[in-house]
Amino acid sequence: MNERPEAAVTYQSYLQLDRLLELQTPRSDGPEHDEMLFIVIHQVYELWFKEMLHELDHVASLFRSDKPHRAQHTLKRILTILKVMVAQLDILETMTPLEFLSFRARLEAASGFQSNQFRQIEFLLGAKNEGALSRFPEGSPGRIALERRFLAPTIWDAFLHYLAGEKYPVPPGHLARDYSRLVEPTPEIQLILLDVYRNDTKSAEICERLVDLDEGIAEWRYRHVRMVERTIGHRPGTGGSRGAAYLQSTIGRNLFPDLWEIRSRL
Ligand code: HEM
């Protein structure tokens, strides 16, 4: 029987470029020159968010299957992506306030505030906030994905699981905690971490990568709010928040508080 030859894979077909390059559609009349940059940069961010989730899930499963070297390798990749994500804000800062205002009204209530993948990343990193769920319609795929993340263990939980596997005395209550809650600083965990830093180079290196991750997210938040201040000043956000004042309030919360608590005791 003759099989129909399949079309050869090409650069265009593999990357589905026809579809991808049709997805940039400015809403402003003209259209305003800078709206293209605004769309492209947000789309690129969403792609990086997708990749971050992919890699963070991988790190969690590597911790759970006791593969610390692979987990560390993947964490390094995530940190490199995060650096690129922070650096990308430089491009958007070439857009002046007036250039942004020329099409801002066309965004209506749209805002990064509504980024489902960003909330999934926050949840996976431990920044759980039930209020974020209600911004997505009940039963929608985004809401379902976020609800799943809300109840699921975080990267920190996976790391504690790894430490328990290394025979550290992680209290069982911590391994089976209510994952929808924020991780609170805990004296027992801090004693373990002090031991890790003093006696276990391999695990201490992983702790340092987690601190890098915490700092990297904080850096993104800081750079984003500075960009917002220079672009729209103290105007409210299109997403309905107080704008820069709201964003300022999200800075300064540590994702992995125990790793910060122990630093003055090392
Ligand atoms: C001119 C550029 C930008 C401006 C003026 C801006 C403004 C804002 C404002 C005011 C908020 C607060 C929520 C609200 O809208 O009320 C916000 C939140 C947010 N923005 Fe932007 N943004 C810009 C670019 C970006 C880019 C490039 C991204 C990348 C995806 C992004 C992602 C986010 C995210 C994830 C939030 C939620 C943060 C949180 O709740 O902690 N923004 N933005």
Side-chain angles (χ1 to χ4, degrees):
M1 203 169 76
N2 274 346
E3 282 190 11
R4 240 193 19 220
E6 280 186 25
V9 177
T10 65
Y11 180 78
Q12 194 88 7
S13 68
Y14 180 65
L15 298 174
Q16 301 195 54
L17 290 183
D18 289 343
R19 288 170 72 193
L20 182 66
L21 299 178
E22 261 179 17
L23 301 176
Q24 295 70 41
T25 47
R27 303 191 78 234
S28 56
D29 290 331
E32 290 294 341
H33 179 81
D34 286 46
E35 194 178 351
M36 181 60 90
L37 171 67
F38 192 77
I39 291 171
V40 167
I41 208 145
H42 280 84
Q43 289 182 340
V44 169
Y45 267 109
E46 288 293 334
L47 288 174
W48 281 132
F49 290 162
K50 182 170 184 171
E51 177 64 15
M52 284 269 281
L53 283 167
H54 184 61
E55 301 292 353
L56 285 167
D57 280 334
H58 192 45
V59 170
S61 84
L62 290 167
F63 277 146
R64 286 181 183 279
S65 49
D66 196 23
K67 296 194 176 114
H69 286 110
R70 296 295 307 159
Q72 196 181 340
H73 173 75
T74 308
L75 276 170
K76 276 192 190 154
R77 175 178 295 169
I78 291 168
L79 293 166
T80 312
I81 293 171
L82 203 46
K83 284 215 175 307
V84 169
M85 283 170 53
V86 171
Q88 273 177 202
L89 291 174
D90 288 346
I91 309 175
L92 208 46
E93 284 186 339
T94 63
M95 183 175 69
T96 67
L98 288 179
E99 283 165 343
F100 181 48
L101 287 174
S102 70
F103 63 87
R104 188 180 189 224
R106 295 306 192 111
L107 305 180
E108 298 178 9
S111 162
F113 210 34
Q114 296 149 355
S115 168
N116 184 278
Q117 294 198 102
F118 182 78
R119 298 298 166 210
Q120 288 196 46
I121 291 172
E122 284 193 320
F123 283 9
L124 188 47
L125 292 176
K128 304 263 174 126
N129 166 12
E130 197 164 9
L133 295 174
S134 62
R135 297 199 202 108
F136 302 90
E138 229 167 296
S140 64
R143 172 75 171 256
I144 292 166
L146 207 53
E147 282 169 348
R148 190 174 61 80
R149 296 266 184 211
F150 185 64
L151 299 175
T154 68
I155 286 287
W156 183 249
D157 296 303
F159 177 62
L160 291 185
H161 192 278
Y162 155 74
L163 287 180
E166 295 287 291
K167 308 284 177 258
Y168 286 100
V170 180
H174 284 270
L175 296 172
R177 68 182 192 96
D178 174 355
Y179 301 123
S180 68
R181 300 180 73 90
L182 288 172
V183 172
E184 298 294 343
T186 317
E188 298 98 306
I189 303 291
Q190 287 162 26
L191 285 178
I192 292 173
L193 293 174
L194 287 167
D195 186 11
V196 164
Y197 267 84
R198 289 176 186 140
N199 303 306
D200 177 356
T201 322
K202 178 186 67 177
S203 303
E205 280 286 317
I206 294 177
C207 290
E208 285 298 280
R209 297 297 74 76
L210 291 174
V211 175
D212 287 342
L213 184 56
D214 206 333
E215 255 187 0
I217 297 288
E219 200 181 340
W220 186 86
R221 289 192 200 279
Y222 174 76
R223 284 294 315 276
H224 174 259
V225 68
R226 294 299 285 170
M227 180 190 66
V228 169
E229 281 171 353
R230 74 184 271 174
T231 311
I232 60 166
H234 297 289
R235 288 183 173 88
T238 46
S241 82
R242 288 176 299 137
Y246 156 72
L247 293 167
Q248 285 285 4
S249 75
T250 67
I251 294 180
R253 293 185 211 146
N254 291 326
L255 295 169
F256 312 121
D258 288 316
L259 283 174
W260 295 93
E261 288 286 332
I262 58 162
R263 307 197 89 75
S264 44
R265 287 148 63 196
L266 282 169

